Amino acid sequence: MSKENKGNEDIAAMSFEQAMDQLEKIVASLETGDVPLNQSIEIYERGEALKLHCERLLKAAEDRIEKIRLDRSGAAAGTEPLDAD
């Protein structure tokens, strides 16, 4: 296991909401400037891991939504991009 992944094993099991909550707390603590430098680096690295996890979860959700498109009768009619106009 790489040094940067040490202590972040729990992130993979988090829901999007749990990861975002922790990420928001990390940002708030870093913004205050009251955290020692070494701890700031550690929580920044955890924040990066949380951000990547959230991005992966969002991409997976977008992919699922993109696969679902219903026709007028309610049957699946194919796919279209999530942000199609």
Side-chain angles (χ1 to χ4, degrees):
M1 174 184 318
S2 71
K3 184 179 178 186
E4 70 184 45
N5 288 333
K6 185 179 180 185
N8 292 335
E9 300 87 13
D10 62 322
I11 293 174
M14 287 183 182
S15 69
F16 178 80
E17 292 78 12
Q18 291 169 323
M20 281 298 297
D21 182 56
Q22 280 202 14
L23 187 55
E24 289 170 356
K25 289 176 183 174
I26 286 172
V27 169
S29 69
L30 289 173
E31 285 179 341
T32 64
D34 295 335
V35 182
L37 180 60
N38 284 343
Q39 187 179 1
S40 293
I41 293 168
E42 289 176 16
I43 62 176
Y44 179 85
E45 289 173 346
R46 182 164 176 83
E48 277 295 311
L50 287 162
K51 179 179 133 320
L52 291 171
H53 179 65
C54 288
E55 288 172 350
R56 282 191 295 270
L57 291 175
L58 283 174
K59 176 68 174 135
E62 288 175 354
D63 290 347
R64 287 182 63 196
I65 291 169
E66 193 172 293
K67 290 179 184 176
I68 302 169
R69 192 186 92 207
L70 302 179
D71 65 15
R72 292 174 197 222
S73 67
T79 64
E80 65 183 43
L82 177 64
D83 57 356
D85 292 323

